[in-house]
Amino acid sequence: MEKNIDGKLKFVGSYIIDKTLGIGATGKVKLARHSKNGEKVGIKIIRKDLFYDKPSLRIKIQREISVMKLMFHPHIIKIFEVLEDSKYLFLIIEYASHGELFNYLVEKRRIQNREALRFFQQIVSGIEYCHKHRICHRDLKLENILLDENHDIKIADFGMASLSVPNAMLKTFCGSPHYASPEVVSNEPYNGMKADIWSCGVILYSLLTGKLPFDEENDNIRKLFNKIRFEPVKIPKIISANCRDLIQSLLTIEPVKRISIEKIKNHPWYKSSALPETCRTPIQDVNMASVRNQIFNPDPEILNFLLPLQLVKDQKTLTNVLSSKKPSLVRVLYRQLEWRRIKMDSLRDDKIHEAIERRKRILKQGKKENHEGLKNWKKNKNSRGFFGVKPFSRIGIYVNFYF
């Protein structure tokens, strides 16, 4: 970490710090760019002194990092690396340049059917990936869904995420009240995946109408929760019949009757437009029995990401489970983290390669322009008597920028 004269962060690792993107309870999110290839990233800066007052916060952040490390999907924000010094923890994450879907909706007031469907298809694809990998987001809302430079969806903020362990229900009330499912606001044990599907229904309704399906003017939480628990959603007729049917299926009060991801994908409205290319790759279920090879010498770095998931009590138990002949979710997650690291290394290598090739093309173009500029100068020298400096200055700019 390096600071400038004002004491503000200038560098974090290989990244040059730029403007502030947002401020949260635990710190700031800064825009930054890689000093070598110019790649833009977001850096979530978390003050470590908060951990002393709130030990649970450390566990929450460690779990968020571990969950994000498990995932690699085009519609889920990627975490590239985690850095730290004596005062701060730095999460280097993918940058979504067009910000929150919430702000986009406020600007548009309501989203037209075709665009809303495209957004929803991408959200469902990302959530399906999470659920197939036994991850429940538990805080899906418009503010936690971002848009990248192509206006593609990026699901973010996994601070409330939890693993869905087979034959176990979740108990913690979390998330935003307006997006919370009836079983969550009733403080009952709940299936996190079913709760996520309800939140998807709230998001879809909001995109198409510009309003939340359940709201209270005076922010009366008791009345809001009663609406969510007991009142069927009222859907305006401006929404097509097929889409109304899907929203009602998503916002079904009884979790066991709520529509599944598979049925969402087969719904007529969902299929009324071709899937985006990024949503077409089939997502496989995590199968514990499929990972049979025992792990006797586990990578310490991967163990550090597995422990915060709290599937086992300590590192000794973790290594014993990994080396056991019995199939386990822990071993599946270990292999997932291992595979994901290979994919991230490949992605990073590709970006570096792209930057090098781009630089070569620009230099080559600069040489061509330099040569053409020289020919023009010779012509102009004889006829007008001045020196053409512009073609020569351009290559200097590009060399400085890309080195």
Side-chain angles (χ1 to χ4, degrees), residues 11-12 15-17 21 28-33 41-45 89-93:
F11 282 93
V12 172
Y15 298 94
I16 303 166
I17 300 293
L21 296 173
K28 297 180 180 180
V29 179
K30 294 273 191 179
L31 174 64
R33 62 180 175 85
V41 297
I43 300 185
K44 193 171 184 178
I45 304 171
L89 192 64
F90 306 98
L91 312 189
I92 317 298
I93 57 178

Side-chain angles (χ1 to χ4, degrees), residues 128-342:
E128 181 187 24
Y129 180 91
C130 292
H131 291 182
K132 294 272 189 180
H133 290 79
R134 299 187 180 275
I135 294 164
C136 311
H137 188 285
R138 299 203 298 175
D139 195 19
L140 285 170
K141 57 183 177 180
L142 291 164
E143 294 89 335
N144 287 343
I145 297 174
L146 309 179
L147 296 172
D148 68 8
E149 58 186 3
N150 300 315
H151 274 80
D152 285 331
I153 291 294
K154 297 286 180 179
I155 299 169
D157 200 340
F158 284 81
M160 300 289 181
S162 175
L163 280 177
S164 177
V165 179
N167 304 316
M169 300 289 271
L170 299 172
K171 296 177 182 177
T172 308
F173 175 89
C174 59
S176 301
H178 291 89
Y179 295 81
S181 65
E183 61 272 24
V184 170
V185 301
S186 298
N187 205 22
E188 300 170 356
Y190 62 93
N191 180 314
M193 296 180 188
K194 291 287 186 181
D196 281 349
I197 288 170
W198 174 279
S199 301
C200 286
V202 176
I203 289 166
L204 179 57
Y205 180 103
S206 302
L207 289 175
L208 291 165
T209 65
K211 300 175 182 177
L212 289 162
F214 304 98
D215 203 4
E216 270 297 315
E217 289 182 6
N218 300 319
D219 291 329
N220 186 315
I221 293 296
R222 184 186 292 274
K223 285 186 177 180
L224 173 64
F225 283 0
N226 283 337
K227 278 186 178 181
I228 292 169
R229 291 168 63 199
F230 303 118
E231 294 185 18
V233 63
K234 297 173 184 176
I235 306 171
K237 290 184 179 179
I238 57 167
I239 297 176
S240 68
N242 270 342
C243 189
R244 282 205 306 272
D245 178 72
L246 177 57
I247 292 172
Q248 284 169 342
S249 300
L250 292 160
L251 298 178
T252 297
I253 292 172
E254 292 183 56
V256 291
K257 295 181 180 178
R258 201 171 298 152
I259 194 170
S260 66
I261 292 279
E262 206 55 46
K263 287 183 179 177
I264 292 171
K265 290 166 61 181
N266 286 313
H267 193 278
W269 185 77
Y270 187 88
K271 295 170 70 176
S272 63
S273 182
L275 282 175
E277 189 67 37
T278 49
C279 302
R280 294 178 190 173
T281 304
I283 301 169
Q284 300 299 318
D285 275 308
V286 169
N287 186 348
M288 290 188 284
S290 66
V291 183
R292 296 178 181 176
N293 292 341
Q294 297 155 270
I295 300 165
F296 294 105
N297 296 301
D299 186 316
E301 184 184 4
I302 296 178
L303 292 183
N304 286 338
F305 289 123
L306 278 174
L307 282 168
L309 298 174
Q310 297 181 313
L311 292 171
V312 293
K313 62 180 181 179
D314 54 36
Q315 186 163 322
K316 184 179 178 182
T317 309
L318 179 57
T319 53
N320 288 339
V321 171
L322 290 172
S323 60
S324 168
K325 289 183 179 180
K326 185 179 178 181
S328 68
L329 178 59
V330 170
R331 193 152 66 210
V332 171
L333 297 179
Y334 181 96
R335 291 301 186 198
Q336 176 67 13
L337 285 164
E338 196 173 49
W339 174 86
R340 200 257 188 197
R341 185 167 63 183
I342 293 167

